[in-house]
Each structure stands twice: as structure tokens, then as C-alpha cells.
Amino acid sequence: MLLFAFDTETELIVPGVLAPKLVCLSWAVGDNQGVMYGGGVVHHSNLEGFDELLSTIENSGATIIGHNTSYDFGVLAAAFPQSLQRIFALYESGRVTDTKIREQLTRIAEGSAPQGKLTLKDLAEKYLDVTLDKVDTWRMRYGELLHVPLCDWPVDAIEYSRLDAETTLRVYQAQQSHADEYRQARNDFALHLISCRGIITDPENVAALRAEILAEKAEAEAALREAGILVTVGKSKPKSKISNKRVQELVSLALGAYAPTTDKGAIQIGAEVLKDIDHPALAALVRYKAAEKLESTWLEHLSKPIVQARYNVLVATGRTSCSSPNMQNPHRREGLRECFAPREGFVFAAIDYSTLELCTLAQACLVKLGKSRMADAINAGKDLHLDLAAQIKGISYEAAQALLLAGDKEIKEARQIAKCGNFGLPGGMSASTFSKFAKGYGLDLTPQFCDQLKGHWLTAWPEMRDYFKLVDHEGGEVHQIYSERMRGVTPFCAACNSYFQGRAADGAKNAVFDVVRACYVGSLQGAFPVAFIHDEILAEVPEDKAGWYADEMARIMRETMRGWCPDVEIKTDTALMLRWSKGAESIRDEKNNLQIWGI
């Protein structure tokens, strides 16, 4: 197999630009190595040279290797936009892989965390026993050479670039191969393009949110100082500090003998304890910490004109993670999402899968066990939460439907409890653990009630008893059925989650690639995904054809997911909005044309 390793050197990344100007491209094929001058792509000869290089790679059938390949291809796509079609084709044909992603897959297969120490320097030390100089080098200085012909470059600048490509090739040759590496590499490229586009902020909404949060913080701070919880320490450089001792005193006064303690006997003062205590000063502390966290995380990012969150394509479950900020788990604070706005001429389209992980759980049971009542219910068009609520209330599904339509309060409450059960219990958690999980749904359920609920749940979905037995028998090792990704020995609950979470993540990431590709080189050109939220894509779509773009994205997402979930019906929910909002709903006119919500 012919291997082509490459790397790019660029100007420095700056806010708003994740694909900076190309300075050079280095490559290694066997014992042959070279450096191609980019020079900011100001010379036509550079364009011809890159096209020739891509054509040669394409025709040779070579496997393309990089470290953090999505960044390098993002740089090349920005420099040579007409190359995007070829780049997507190379990814789609399974010919691009990444030594960083390979390492993540190896760690997951070993049962260890796939994060940390993933730089090329780290992998060179691990696999080659070689130390790359990444400090006193040209690594951060290539912008100085942007318009300097290669023949005038310092030798060490050329050598640094050449060595990165050579090292990438050697690391790849020393690594373990994985069936899933090419798919994860292409998913990573799609996520990187989402980051490059970014999502802009609305200054007026940001200013209003900032004023609210800072006012709440100031009000809470005054109450904390009065209660002796917030004190000033230090003489030369005074600063405010929370007195944990005073907080413990107040918790003890409020709860007496019922105050929870640590193993060493100290009174607990964590957020989970404080939020349930009816005490004005402690309630002020909860508000203060919430405002402080919002100020130090979200307000910092929202102050930028464009937010470019960074996605990690692979965590242990197979799902993605997100940082700077975490767009996949935005704070629930009212008004925060509304700080994001589409660019002029666009509206937001939000397309998400309906109960995706329950669909992939049903599919996993069909494949592993050959049966699934949950799959039967989904394919029959039933509401899974109402189905379980009917089981809880001891009535038929049809009777539960009638009560829900009539606005019956008890069946609504039962459905909310059932929803919590359907999303929490597939992970194999105990009744006591589920009781804590339910608090996230605003439900205060005793362990005894949770034990009864689990019984109803197992009656509603009888295949889950065999599912849990199967996972236990496999000893915590998970072999994803379609992607063939291995997850090494892991605790029982994590293993239970892996089969359906991993399949949902694989299908959703695959859909992201298909949608992003369609937006850049296919039928959806003119639209741009700007965020990925696990089972949802948020995109900017042209306002004049917003409904068509959103429906076409939804169609692609459903079609892609059917490849991962062929025996269970897949549905999507779609909404158009002028500001990102959790409350946005799908609104259609009499001709079934999607309309903008909130107008």
C-alpha cells in the first residue's frame, strides 16, 4: 500500500480564523520527502503545483496520512477552494486517516481515556522513542516566511517542516490499525469546517444578558458579605474568598443532625447539598456561584464577535465533545442561546433526531437479541414515553392517549416520569442511582418508587433483561456492530450505554459529514452548519429558501441514519428561527411549507 504523509505550516491562528494562510506543505512517501512552498498562495504556480499533487495522489490510490489532518485540509481548502470536491472525495473513499485519531481508537480499545498526550511529539516519544523539538524551533514563526521563496529559507525551517511529515509517516507505521479510523477522520474534517465557519453573536442580547448576570452576582455578593460567607483576605493584594467554615456552620444550623458529611466527618457543602436547603444566605451562595460561572465561561466567549467552538471527534462512548465553549451542552440560562444570531440574509435551521438513542437501543436489541418490543412500538408510531406511562398507570395505550389529549394532569406527570425512565434506565443504573438521575428532570423520586418504576420499565420493554445479561456476559467489552470500533473493558453501566450511544454517535457524525459535504460541494451549497449538538445540526440557511434547505438537510440526516438503524423508523424535528432558541417549534403552513418560528 502506498502511503503519503503530509503536514502544513501556516501563519498563526488568530481569533476568527481557524484556517490561516498556507506557508508550505511538506510530504513523505517512503524514503522520498519534500517541501512545497505555499507563500500565502499568491503565485499561480503554487495553485498548479497543488492541483498536480492532488491529482497524483488520487491516481496513485495512496492512503493519505496526517496528524490533525482536518486542520491541514482546512488550510488547503481555504487556500485552494476549488480543491474541496477532491478533498471530500478522498475522505469519502476512505483514503484519509489521522495518527491522532488512530491513537484515540487504540486507547478506547484498551479501555483507557482517549484524551491527553495526543500531539505528534507525544506519539513520536511513545512509538519511535524520538523527541521532537517543539519549543526552540520555527513552529510559531512560519508567518515570517510567507513571502520568502523556498530557496531563501533557513535550513532549519525547511528541516522542521520536513521532519514533521517524516515523523507522521513513521508513527503511522508503528501504530495499530482500526476499521473505524477512516470514518472518524472524515467526520473530524466535517466538524472542523463547522468550527471554521463559527457562529456570530448579537451584541445587544449579549449586553443585556451580561447586565442581568452581573446584577444578580452583585445582589448575591451583598447578601454573602452580610452573612459572613464572602470575606476579604490579603493586605497587599486583597481579594474576595468564600469562607467554607462559615458555610458549614450555616448548613449545620439549617439541617442539624441531618447535615450530610464526608467519610472523614466534615459537613458537605457541595452544590447538590446547598440547592435543597431553605436558607437565604445559602440560596444567595448558589446564585452567586451560578453567576460567577456564567461570567467566567459563557460571557467570556459571548464577548467575541464570532464563536468558533472546537470539537473532539471521539470520546470513549464514540460520541463527540466540545469546548471553548461547550456548544453541545449550553447553559440553560434563559436568553443565553438567543445571544447567537445568523449572518445577514440567513436564518437558523435546527434539525434534530427524535428519541435517537432509543431508536439505536431498539436496533441494538434487534441485532444482538433478535427481538425488541421497543422497536415494534417505534415502528407502530407510538409515543414511547406514553407507552411506559400507560404501563405505570395500568391502563391501555389508547386510554392513556385519550387522557393526554384531554389534558389529564396525572397522565402528564406519569409521562414525564416515564421519559426520565426511558432515558436513564437503559444504562443499567440501580434504583438509588436512578433516584439521583431523576433530579435532573425535576423529579423527586424515592429509591423505593424508582425500584417499582424499573419493574414497570422492564415489563414494557422485556428485551432489556436479556440485553443486560448479554452485556454482563461480555464482561464489559464492547464491539460496535457496524463501525467495528472496540471499547476495552469498562464498567457495566458504561458498557450498557455504549452499544446504543456509540451507534447513535456514529450515525449522527456520519450525517454531519454528509450534510457538510452537501453544503460545500453538493445540493445544499449556500447553507452552512454552524453547530453540532450530539443529535442535532444547527445551520445557517438562506432566508429566501429556508424551508427547502431545512427539509433537505433533514432528509439527508434521516437517510444517513437509516444506514446505522435500518430496522427502526427514524424521524427528525425541524425548526426555523431568527435567534437560536430552545423553545423553537416546527411551524408549517397549509401547504406544509416550513415557516420561521416566533414571527
Side-chain angles (χ1 to χ4, degrees):
M1 179 173 63
L2 183 64
L3 304 176
F4 178 92
F6 82 107
D7 184 47
T8 63
E9 303 298 345
T10 68
E11 284 193 313
L12 295 179
I13 292 174
V14 296
V17 182
L18 295 185
K21 285 185 178 180
L22 172 69
V23 178
C24 72
L25 181 147
S26 55
W27 52 270
V29 180
D31 295 331
N32 297 317
Q33 300 156 18
V35 178
M36 178 181 292
Y37 175 56
V41 198
V42 294
H43 303 299
H44 186 65
S45 59
N46 297 333
L47 175 62
E48 293 172 343
F50 181 64
D51 273 351
E52 183 181 341
L53 179 64
L54 263 188
S55 179
T56 301
I57 295 168
E58 226 170 11
N59 295 333
S60 69
T63 293
I64 302 169
I65 304 155
H67 187 86
N68 197 15
T69 317
S70 60
Y71 172 79
D72 296 306
F73 269 125
V75 167
L76 294 171
F80 309 110
Q82 74 283 1
S83 69
L84 258 175
Q85 189 83 47
R86 273 178 164 163
I87 292 172
F88 272 108
L90 287 168
Y91 270 110
E92 191 172 16
S93 63
R95 290 173 54 192
V96 182
T97 188
D98 190 306
T99 51
K100 177 182 175 181
I101 290 172
R102 275 188 144 205
E103 181 65 14
Q104 289 177 296
L105 288 166
T106 294
R107 294 186 186 186
I108 292 172
E110 293 171 346
S112 57
Q115 280 75 50
K117 291 193 179 247
L118 291 169
T119 67
L120 183 60
K121 181 177 185 292
D122 296 324
L123 301 192
E125 290 173 357
K126 174 180 177 179
Y127 290 102
L128 309 177
D129 197 23
V130 168
T131 301
L132 296 178
D133 185 358
K134 293 289 185 180
V135 180
D136 187 22
T137 65
W138 278 88
R139 186 171 74 93
M140 307 290 285
R141 297 177 54 197
Y142 276 93
E144 299 172 24
L145 303 174
L146 185 63
H147 300 303
V148 179
L150 194 63
C151 60
D152 294 331
W153 280 26
V155 173
D156 54 346
I158 296 175
E159 178 62 13
Y160 176 91
S161 181
R162 182 203 63 76
L163 187 59
D164 269 2
E166 177 196 337
T167 303
T168 298
L169 177 60
R170 293 178 61 200
V171 166
Y172 171 86
Q173 291 169 327
Q175 284 180 314
Q176 176 184 348
S177 65
H178 297 273
D180 200 29
E181 62 186 88
Y182 301 98
R183 185 181 296 109
Q184 296 298 342
R186 74 182 189 182
N187 296 340
D188 191 46
F189 179 60
L191 290 169
H192 181 65
L193 290 183
I194 290 176
S195 297
C196 287
R197 174 72 175 181
I199 181 169
I200 65 170
T201 55
D202 182 324
E204 290 186 9
N205 285 6
V206 172
L209 180 65
R210 179 184 296 277
E212 288 177 10
I213 291 171
L214 294 183
E216 291 169 8
K217 182 183 177 184
E219 182 184 5
E221 182 176 342
L224 294 180
R225 290 194 182 281
E226 185 177 349
I229 293 176
L230 191 66
V231 296
T232 302
V233 297
K235 293 183 178 179
S236 58
K237 293 183 179 180
K239 62 179 182 179
S240 298
K241 181 182 178 182
I242 299 293
S243 170
N244 290 338
K245 182 179 179 181
R246 178 58 176 157
V247 176
Q248 288 174 324
E249 288 175 357
L250 292 176
V251 171
S252 179
L253 285 171
L255 300 181
Y258 296 100
T261 58
T262 65
D263 293 339
K264 294 184 178 180
I267 293 176
Q268 294 183 25
I269 56 173
E272 286 299 312
V273 174
L274 297 181
K275 71 181 181 63
D276 292 328
I277 299 176
D278 184 15
H279 188 285
L282 297 178
L285 179 57
V286 172
R287 295 196 304 275
Y288 178 82
K289 287 188 173 182
E292 190 175 48
K293 185 174 182 180
L294 278 166
E295 181 185 12
S296 63
T297 54
W298 281 96
L299 285 184
E300 177 185 345
H301 292 292
L302 291 172
S303 65
K304 303 170 185 175
I306 180 171
V307 172
Q308 294 174 295
R310 308 296 182 87
Y311 294 90
N312 167 30
V313 73
L314 203 57
V315 298
T317 60
R319 301 177 92 189
T320 57
S321 62
C322 184
S323 60
S324 301
N326 185 0
M327 297 292 288
Q328 295 187 322
N329 188 24
H331 198 282
R332 292 175 179 267
R333 170 71 186 230
E334 185 178 348
L336 188 145
R337 292 179 190 233
E338 286 74 12
C339 288
F340 294 103
R343 291 166 172 83
E344 187 175 352
F346 292 85
V347 299
F348 280 144
I351 309 101
D352 70 304
Y353 291 108
S354 178
T355 59
L356 178 60
E357 289 192 351
L358 293 180
C359 292
T360 55
L361 172 62
Q363 182 67 50
C365 288
L366 286 173
V367 174
K368 302 285 282 185
L369 306 171
K371 60 183 179 180
S372 173
R373 185 186 175 277
M374 185 177 287
D376 295 339
I378 294 171
N379 291 339
K382 288 186 175 181
D383 175 338
L384 294 186
H385 309 320
L386 189 61
D387 199 338
L388 177 56
Q391 179 71 39
I392 294 170
K393 302 299 288 184
I395 59 178
S396 69
Y397 179 80
E398 291 71 23
Q401 264 187 318
L403 288 171
L404 190 65
L405 285 171
D408 184 81
K409 184 178 178 181
E410 286 190 12
I411 200 67
K412 284 183 178 179
E413 291 175 351
R415 187 185 180 280
Q416 180 65 10
I417 291 171
K419 180 178 181 180
C420 180
N422 279 332
F423 287 138
L425 293 173
M429 61 179 67
S430 66
S432 59
T433 303
F434 180 76
S435 178
K436 297 175 183 176
F437 172 83
K439 290 184 181 296
Y441 281 76
L443 299 171
D444 189 12
L445 308 178
T446 66
Q448 293 78 13
F449 180 88
C450 291
D451 194 49
Q452 294 175 356
L453 173 62
K454 190 169 184 178
H456 289 304
W457 183 78
L458 289 169
T459 301
W461 321 122
E463 65 270 24
M464 292 308 299
R465 294 183 188 275
D466 292 332
Y467 178 81
F468 292 143
K469 289 178 183 176
L470 177 70
V471 172
D472 188 47
H473 176 72
E474 291 175 345
E477 286 193 351
V478 177
H479 184 187
Q480 289 293 343
I481 299 161
Y482 290 163
S483 68
E484 299 182 30
R485 182 175 59 257
M486 292 296 300
R487 184 176 184 184
V489 176
T490 191
F492 175 73
C493 288
C496 289
N497 281 318
S498 284
Y499 277 116
F500 59 89
Q501 280 188 354
R503 184 188 293 267
D506 287 336
K509 286 188 288 187
N510 199 165
V512 168
F513 177 83
D514 288 345
V515 167
V516 169
R517 179 190 55 192
C519 288
Y520 280 88
V521 298
S523 62
L524 290 171
Q525 288 182 68
F528 300 92
V530 293
F532 172 56
I533 308 101
H534 292 308
D535 59 358
E536 176 184 346
I537 293 176
L538 181 69
E540 291 177 329
V541 297
E543 187 172 4
D544 58 346
K545 293 181 64 179
W548 179 86
Y549 274 99
D551 284 341
E552 178 65 7
M553 281 187 190
R555 184 195 65 77
I556 292 172
M557 288 172 65
R558 291 192 301 272
E559 185 175 297
T560 301
M561 188 58 70
R562 288 190 189 105
W564 297 87
C565 207
D567 304 309
V568 181
E569 186 176 2
I570 298 296
K571 294 182 179 180
T572 52
D573 298 313
T574 310
L576 296 174
M577 63 201 96
L578 297 178
R579 292 292 182 275
W580 189 21
S581 175
K582 183 71 173 174
E585 297 177 356
S586 179
I587 300 175
R588 294 183 182 271
D589 63 17
E590 64 280 359
K591 294 182 179 180
N592 201 37
N593 295 315
L594 197 61
Q595 304 295 299
I596 298 174
W597 172 83
I599 292 182

